[in-house]
Amino acid sequence: MRDRMSDMNQPWRHFPERLRDVYSVPYLPPRRMPGFHFACGRAVKMSDSEGEHHDEHTFESTTEVGSKTFPMQCSALRKNGHVVIKGRPCKIVDMSTSKTGKHGHAKVHLVAIDIFTGKKLEDLCPSTHNMNVPVVNRNDYQLLDITEDGFVSLLLESGETKDDIRLPEGELGESIKAKFNADKSLIVSVLSAMGEEAIVDVKENQN
């Protein structure tokens, strides 16, 4: 009886001697070891980068941070608003909508002025289509200096200076230069859009 129980518990006793060592070893499931993974029953060491990110998931953002433009349906644009025409940031000065035709959508005729050059631009767009609208910012800075090569030095809120903007040409530039030479404290307004910046206004600092 004891031999029969032994046979049941140790069936490999009746295997050929060359197989006894294989089947006499009980199966133990592999343990999870940091830095290793199991492939075909063997523990394989992972690379450092593979081990660090083995349990991590990476998600790519679909929103562009600091985007220079955003889409807007053409019919939603308004006079005195902004729009991109021929790659230029513009302010809308006039717009009109044509009647819907038999085989198409109503179209919007846009008349706009480039906010930096003052050039007049026009465009015709179906009312249901999207157009790009520039992100336009306007900030005021104290004028510290005007260099000989026509650049201005502006004081930022952080206490640092901004020295990469030119003095505007024409009447505005001459007015700024004359007031600065008269030792007046000046605040200039800087318009920025689509990677461009320009001084668009000046006023005397009342503080």
Side-chain angles (χ1 to χ4, degrees):
M1 183 69 178
R2 182 177 301 175
D3 291 341
R4 184 175 298 177
M5 292 297 295
S6 178
D7 289 346
M8 293 176 63
N9 293 331
Q10 300 179 348
W12 57 83
R13 292 175 58 194
H14 301 284
F15 292 173
E17 185 174 351
R18 61 188 177 83
L19 298 178
R20 288 181 186 178
D21 292 339
V22 176
Y23 288 96
S24 63
V25 179
Y27 171 76
L28 295 176
R31 293 180 300 170
R32 184 177 178 84
M33 295 184 291
F36 289 83
H37 67 87
F38 286 85
C40 300
R42 295 188 306 155
V44 181
K45 183 174 176 59
M46 295 185 292
S47 64
D48 293 339
S49 60
E50 195 178 7
E52 291 175 0
H53 304 289
H54 184 65
D55 295 322
E56 296 180 2
H57 298 277
T58 302
F59 298 93
E60 294 184 2
S61 174
T62 57
T63 303
E64 185 182 352
V65 179
S67 179
K68 297 177 182 179
T69 64
F70 61 91
M72 181 179 290
Q73 191 167 327
C74 193
S75 60
L77 297 172
R78 294 292 180 265
K79 185 177 179 180
N80 295 323
H82 295 97
V83 68
V84 177
I85 297 179
K86 298 179 181 179
R88 299 296 304 168
C90 301
K91 183 177 181 179
I92 301 171
V93 295
D94 191 22
M95 59 186 300
S96 58
T97 305
S98 64
K99 294 182 179 180
T100 305
K102 293 182 179 179
H103 305 289
H105 301 286
K107 292 187 176 181
V108 179
H109 178 230
L110 297 168
V111 180
I113 301 296
D114 189 312
I115 62 175
F116 292 116
T117 66
K119 183 179 179 180
K120 180 180 177 181
L121 296 170
E122 298 184 43
D123 200 0
L124 192 65
C125 177
S127 60
T128 56
H129 287 198
N130 282 345
M131 293 192 71
N132 286 328
V133 176
V135 177
V136 180
N137 294 306
R138 182 169 177 151
N139 295 294
D140 292 341
Y141 304 102
Q142 182 178 348
L143 177 62
L144 297 180
D145 193 14
I146 300 176
T147 64
E148 293 182 359
D149 54 355
F151 284 89
V152 298
S153 181
L154 307 176
L155 179 64
L156 303 179
E157 291 184 357
S158 62
E160 299 178 348
T161 60
K162 181 176 180 62
D163 307 300
D164 57 351
I165 299 180
R166 279 189 172 276
L167 188 70
E169 298 179 355
E171 186 178 343
L172 177 59
E174 293 297 329
S175 175
I176 294 174
K177 194 171 183 179
K179 291 178 180 179
F180 181 77
N181 290 336
D183 293 330
K184 293 184 178 180
S185 178
L186 302 176
I187 300 295
V188 297
S189 297
V190 176
L191 203 64
S192 60
M194 297 177 65
E196 292 186 48
E197 291 181 306
I199 297 174
V200 294
D201 197 13
V202 61
K203 59 185 179 183
E204 294 186 20
N205 189 2
Q206 302 299 328
N207 295 333

